[in-house]
Amino acid sequence: AATQFVADWLHGTRLLDRDRHWVVWILLGVFAAIGSFVFGRLADHTGKRRFVLVSTLVVGVGLGVLGQCNALLAFAAVGMPVAAVSAARSAALLALLSELVPPQGRGTIMGLRAAANNLGTGTVPVLAGIVVQSQGFPAFLLIAGGLCVLAHLLVWRFVADDRAPGQR
């Protein structure tokens, strides 16, 4: 939902005129693609759980910091790495989730994940819009960052380490 509201925030804070927003979208896309490609190997090397834990925390803190940026260079310095790590985190989280159930249950867990994802796509922007309208975009980013920290804690607490015992 952050991408849906960032344009108005960038314009409203005068960090970037609307006619130059295309640069942000191109850079976010490029950094997300680079992150998915580069960090995928890191996730395989370090273990999906560990990568999900670290990347979720990085994204959570990054979102909280992003809303405090009052210069375009600061926004880019925080936003582009957050985009890269967030994109890489999605694939590692999906792989980790698929391994939480036996092979015969993976279709079910992926179906539940897709349903939750689609439900989120339909409801989170509405809720985010309410927060953005009443408290501002930085407040929404703090909430989103806090939810990432909560996700980090849930994975840390409830998901077993995916590395072999000798690698821990």
Side-chain angles (χ1 to χ4, degrees):
T3 57
Q4 295 170 331
F5 296 100
V6 72
D8 286 341
W9 179 71
L10 286 170
H11 183 72
T13 58
R14 302 189 191 282
L15 288 178
L16 190 64
D17 291 332
R18 285 197 195 278
D19 63 343
R20 295 179 51 203
H21 282 192
W22 61 272
V23 174
V24 171
W25 302 120
I26 289 173
L27 288 174
L28 285 174
V30 167
F31 273 78
I34 290 169
S36 295
F37 179 73
V38 172
F39 290 128
R41 290 185 86 76
L42 182 62
D44 288 340
H45 180 70
T46 63
K48 290 173 284 302
R49 180 182 181 271
R50 179 177 283 176
F51 184 81
V52 166
L53 285 170
V54 171
S55 62
T56 301
L57 202 54
V58 167
V59 171
V61 171
L63 287 173
V65 171
L66 191 63
Q68 310 311 309
C69 294
N70 55 10
L72 188 57
L73 186 57
F75 173 80
V78 173
M80 300 311 145
V82 166
V85 172
S86 181
R89 178 190 159 277
S90 295
L93 183 59
L94 181 59
L96 184 64
L97 180 63
S98 71
E99 293 175 0
L100 292 178
V101 297
Q104 64 271 23
R106 288 189 180 151
T108 301
I109 197 76
M110 290 300 109
L112 289 171
R113 181 204 171 272
N117 193 33
N118 290 324
L119 181 62
T121 299
T123 57
V124 170
V126 173
L127 298 172
I130 293 167
V131 172
V132 168
Q133 194 168 45
S134 65
Q135 302 297 314
F137 184 66
F140 166 70
L141 289 178
L142 285 173
I143 292 169
L147 290 172
C148 286
V149 171
L150 176 61
H152 165 87
L153 293 172
L154 290 171
V155 170
W156 175 76
R157 174 65 178 97
F158 294 109
V159 177
D161 196 334
D162 60 331
R163 294 177 297 149
Q167 294 178 328
R168 291 182 186 157

